[in-house]
């Protein structure tokens, strides 16, 4: 084991929330370390395709955004956290733009789509690789700074110390005044245990959540795992691919074996997923060539002009696999996607453990028991910034 390294703020995780926290803490004047389980590029955030929500429409507001979050959560979200999320959303978008993210424009403003559970068009996009664009910009900012990075250094131990906390990350012993946990959820492991498919990166196995809980951190809704309604079901090399939900925003709809519509394609994620499960259970689904259950997603209804701007990556993936989504419906079925619950946090992203903060998927409350599409990257940005700033401030105090 190497000699201990000392930092003011230690961030665990290199997804969008961890990177945002590291940038924020560094800008607040802290000495920052960032440890990642794998490479700095390995994370779920980079796989997020659909977009990020923020109230920019003339008929929209942070309050309306918050009302949609509350409704989609089935009135289980922490309303204090929701108010922070939606109130700081426009500012978070501008912060990302300052870092180099270029959201798809339209008519002198942003190209906005209406996503599942939303009452207004408020989904900003970077084509259909929004998460990739955001994580790349944040990672560039980290790598251009004095943040000390520890790739391939998974957290294995976290203990209170005289100066704050002592963490063992891979071969490194790191002493930190405060710690920001941003290590994501556990859906890859959960799917493997259930024999199901998942959209998640293989690193999403949940050990950091368990470390915090074992230390005494309060958690909520850990049983509330979310299915992405539209996982790829066929061809085989598309299984588990998260078909962007913007397909439905631009006109795609769900059909059963008789090519009949059976649910509102723009309903909340849990309702759409359950409708698919129910349709298949009732014998009205279809079967993939390898025997998996599925229904049709009729993407032929998406105008080609919209697909070219907002779904280019999906089109390339499917066409390379021998399927043209604009000429034939594609086969889809829900796949495990997101850990809705997590560690309890306050408005500054601090957990119930003194000096330990949490942001992103590892934190609970912001979405309640059901997350709206487009709010995960927003949560990562808003609460990543808050966690980093608050962690740095606590060290100064």
């Amino acid at each position: 084991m190497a000699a201990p390294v000392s930092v003011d703020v230690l961030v665990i995780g290199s997804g969008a929330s961890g990177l945002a926290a590291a940038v924020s803490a560094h800008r607040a004047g802290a000495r920052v370390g960032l440890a990642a389980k794998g490479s700095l590029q390995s994370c779920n955030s980079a796989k997020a395709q659909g977009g990020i929500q923020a109230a920019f429409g003339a008929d929209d507001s942070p309050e309306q955004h918050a009302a949609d979050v509350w409704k989609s959560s089935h009135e289980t979200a922490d309303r204090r956290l929701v108010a922070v999320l939606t109130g700081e959303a426009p500012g978070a978008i501008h912060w990302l733009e300052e870092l180099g993210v270029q959201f798809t424009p339209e008519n002198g403003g942003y190209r906005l789509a209406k996503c599942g559970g939303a009452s207004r068009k408020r989904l900003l996009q970077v084509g259909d690789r929004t998460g990739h664009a955001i994580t790349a910009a944040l990672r560039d900012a980290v790598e251009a700074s004095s943040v000390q990075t520890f790739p391939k250094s998974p957290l294995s131990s976290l203990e209170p110390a005289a100066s704050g906390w002592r963490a063992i990350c891979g071969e490194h012993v790191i002493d930190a005044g405060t710690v920001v946990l941003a290590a994501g959820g556990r859906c890859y492991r959960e799917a493997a245990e259930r024999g199901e498919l998942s959209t998640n990166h293989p690193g999403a196995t949940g050990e950091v959540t368990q470390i915090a809980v074992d230390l005494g951190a309060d958690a909520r809704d850990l049983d509330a795992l979310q299915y992405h309604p539209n996982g790829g079901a066929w061809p085989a090399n598309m299984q588990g691919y998260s078909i962007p939900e913007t397909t439905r925003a631009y006109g795609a709809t769900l059909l059963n074996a008789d090519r009949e519509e059976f649910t509102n394609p723009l309903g909340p994620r849990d309702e759409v997923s359950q409708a698919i499960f129910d349709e298949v259970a009732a014998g009205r689904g279809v079967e993939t060539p390898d025997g998996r259950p599925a229904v049709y997603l009729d993407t032929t209804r998406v105008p080609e002009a919209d697909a070219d701007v907002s779904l280019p990556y999906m089109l390339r993936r499917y066409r390379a696999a021998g399927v043209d989504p604009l000429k034939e419906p594609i086969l889809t079925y829900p796949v495990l996607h997101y850990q809705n619950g997590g560690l309890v946090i306050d408005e500054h992203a601090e957990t119930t453990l003194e000096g330990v903060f949490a942001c992103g998927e590892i934190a609970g409350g912001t979405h309640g028991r059901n997350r709206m599409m487009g709010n995960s990257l927003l949560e990562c940005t808003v609460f990543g910034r808050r966690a980093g700033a608050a962690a740095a401030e606590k060290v100064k105090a």
Side-chain angles (χ1 to χ4, degrees), residues 25 70 76 137 153 175 183 213 265 271 306 342 346 382:
W70 178 243
T76 62
S153 300
D175 290 325
V213 169
E271 293 180 11
D306 285 331
D346 64 15
V382 168

Side-chain angles (χ1 to χ4, degrees), residues 179-213:
V179 177
V180 178
L181 303 179
R186 70 182 196 280
C187 281
Y188 184 88
R189 173 175 60 81
E190 192 79 28
E193 291 173 354
R194 296 183 185 188
E196 298 181 10
L197 297 172
S198 172
T199 62
N200 278 204
H201 184 278
T205 48
E207 296 92 343
V208 175
T209 300
Q210 192 59 54
I211 288 172
V213 169

Side-chain angles (χ1 to χ4, degrees), residues 222 309 338:
L222 282 175
V309 172
Y338 194 85

